[in-house]
């Protein structure tokens, strides 16, 4: 009689704690990488990896888009996991996790279990004191929100994820898939990580140092009104708002907004907005193969020539020249960075 085939031992076990109104895309991207790495092809059997959603009750948890996820196990019945992943909810919702869930995270940290913060899950871990002494990653979109809540902290908003000992934090979105692939590679193997991403139509695994597609401001605003205005600018680069629109939304007059910008940053709102759009354009020119027209439209310019004229006037270089210089840097590491060459024109 043939002996039964041996079932491989689990190599990676992950538990999820979902905040009320959690970010569905971050959760889905992360868990799908685990699912695809756990079995052959996309059969989805939890052979090499397993995952579970925990909660203090078994009531479905709603995501920020309204879709609900059913937890599988109560927190008091939780086992031992390689990682506990916290998926955050809406900014400012301090009640996103109940007291039992918060106590569970404190116990896991005390037991030495690595904690992962996805998207605004970083805010939850920081609020619980579980990121004290650790570097942490925050989405550029929520950079100012983080500073407003945790004035003494300096988050990293120019990487897709950060690994600091037993704390792993991620900006969210597709970055969650890359962080999950990092863990799969660590515990299961590189082939499993590559397979997962390829099935998800993600061409290659990105390291945590890969820059986020968004941006943090080079100048840190001190005025609360200016902070709010700059955040709205960052969130509306493709379709820029007028200064009148920004003023109206913020409940102040245009002249008041301009005066506060000049006092705080030494520049007008229009100039700060333009710099943000140009920085985003340069970032896309460096990090993508999109056409100049596509880059222009994504950054709020009418067309390619409009971007070219503006970039030449403001930074002394056209998009084509900038890309050529960046390609040259890749071939000659001792060449001065283009950003340094252009800084005098800023």
């Amino acid at each position: 009689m043939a002996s039964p085939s041996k079932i491989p031992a689990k190599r990676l076990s992950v538990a999820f704690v979902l905040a009320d109104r959690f970010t569905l895309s971050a959760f889905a991207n992360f868990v799908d990488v685990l699912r695809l790495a756990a079995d052959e092809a996309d059969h989805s059997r939890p052979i090499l990896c397993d995952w579970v959603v925990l909660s203090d009750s078994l009531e479905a948890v709603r995501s920020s888009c309204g879709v609900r996820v059913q937890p599988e196990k109560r927190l008091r019945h939780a086992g031992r996991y390689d990682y506990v992943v916290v998926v955050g909810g809406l900014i400012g919702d301090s009640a996103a996790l109940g007291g039992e869930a918060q106590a569970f995270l404190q116990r896991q940290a005390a037991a030495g279990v690595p904690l992962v913060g996805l998207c605004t899950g970083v805010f939850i871990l920081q609020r619980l004191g579980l990121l004290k002494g650790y570097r942490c990653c925050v989405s550029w979109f929520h950079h100012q929100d983080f500073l407003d809540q945790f004035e003494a902290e300096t988050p990293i908003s120019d990487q897709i994820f950060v690994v600091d000992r037993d704390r792993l934090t991620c900006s969210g979105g597709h970055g969650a898939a890359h962080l999950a692939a990092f863990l799969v590679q660590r515990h299961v193997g590189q082939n499993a990580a590559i397979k997962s991403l390829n099935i998800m139509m993600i061409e290659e695994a990105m390291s945590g140092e890969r820059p986020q597609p968004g941006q943090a401001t080079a100048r840190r605003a001190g005025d609360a009104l200016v902070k709010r205005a700059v955040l709205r600018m960052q969130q509306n680069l493709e379709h820029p708002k007028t200064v009148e629109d920004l003023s109206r939304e913020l409940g102040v007059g245009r002249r008041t907004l301009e005066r506060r910008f000049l006092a705080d940053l030494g520049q007008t709102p229009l100039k700060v907005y333009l710099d943000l759009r140009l920085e985003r354009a340069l970032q896309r020119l460096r990090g993508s193969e999109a056409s100049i027209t596509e880059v222009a439209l994504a950054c709020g310019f009418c067309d390619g020539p409009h971007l070219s004229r503006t970039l030449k006037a403001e930074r002394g270089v056209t998009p084509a020249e900038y890309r050529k210089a960046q390609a040259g840097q890749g071939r000659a590491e001792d060449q001065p960075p283009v950003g340094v060459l252009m800084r005098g024109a800023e």
Side-chain angles (χ1 to χ4, degrees), residues 58 77 95 101 116 121 152 156 171-172 201-202 218 220 223 225 229 241 270 299 313 320 322 337:
L58 293 182
H77 298 147
V116 180
I156 295 170
S171 56
M201 298 187 183
I202 299 174
R220 180 175 295 183
D223 185 309
L225 176 66
K241 293 178 177 290
L270 276 176
C299 299
Y322 181 77

Side-chain angles (χ1 to χ4, degrees), residues 240-251:
K241 293 178 177 290
T242 65
V243 177
E244 287 81 3
D245 287 339
L246 289 170
S247 302
R248 184 173 57 255
E249 292 174 5
L250 294 167

